[in-house]
Amino acid sequence: ELGHYFLQSNTNKDIFLRIQITQLDKETKPDEVEANLFAAALLMPAKLFLKYWKLSHDIDALSKIFAVTPAVVAFRLKTLDLS
């Protein structure tokens, strides 16, 4: 939710909450898409993510390495055109 906080600083919201996180790639609202891309890049930098992906190709292992859910790893794979 940091993506919302930093990217949408013109809003008056103090709290950003995501209720559904299992289908990040199905999001259609532009501000949500932008925040999801930001968060994925922040939590899983491309160079480091690619290094670990080449070693294992294991979504569950990467989710533990980066401390994110497997759904977030799958989303990052799609953003990097790896799935």
Side-chain angles (χ1 to χ4, degrees):
E1 298 310 303
L2 286 172
H4 288 292
Y5 181 79
F6 289 112
L7 296 171
Q8 297 153 20
S9 60
N10 61 339
T11 185
N12 290 328
K13 292 182 183 178
D14 290 329
I15 297 173
F16 295 95
L17 172 67
R18 174 176 298 285
I19 296 171
Q20 175 62 274
I21 63 167
T22 58
Q23 296 184 348
L24 296 173
D25 60 330
K26 304 285 188 230
E27 187 60 64
T28 57
K29 297 178 193 172
D31 60 332
E32 290 291 335
V33 171
E34 182 182 45
N36 291 343
L37 291 169
F38 172 85
L42 177 69
L43 296 171
M44 297 169 285
K47 189 173 180 179
L48 189 60
F49 184 86
L50 291 170
K51 175 183 173 182
Y52 283 110
W53 179 247
K54 288 177 186 176
L55 292 174
S56 72
H57 285 80
D58 183 334
I59 289 177
D60 290 325
L62 267 68
S63 73
K64 290 177 180 143
I65 290 168
F66 291 101
V68 297
T69 65
V72 174
V73 172
F75 177 74
R76 186 62 168 146
L77 287 169
K78 287 183 180 184
T79 66
L80 294 172
D81 293 323
L82 296 172
S83 68

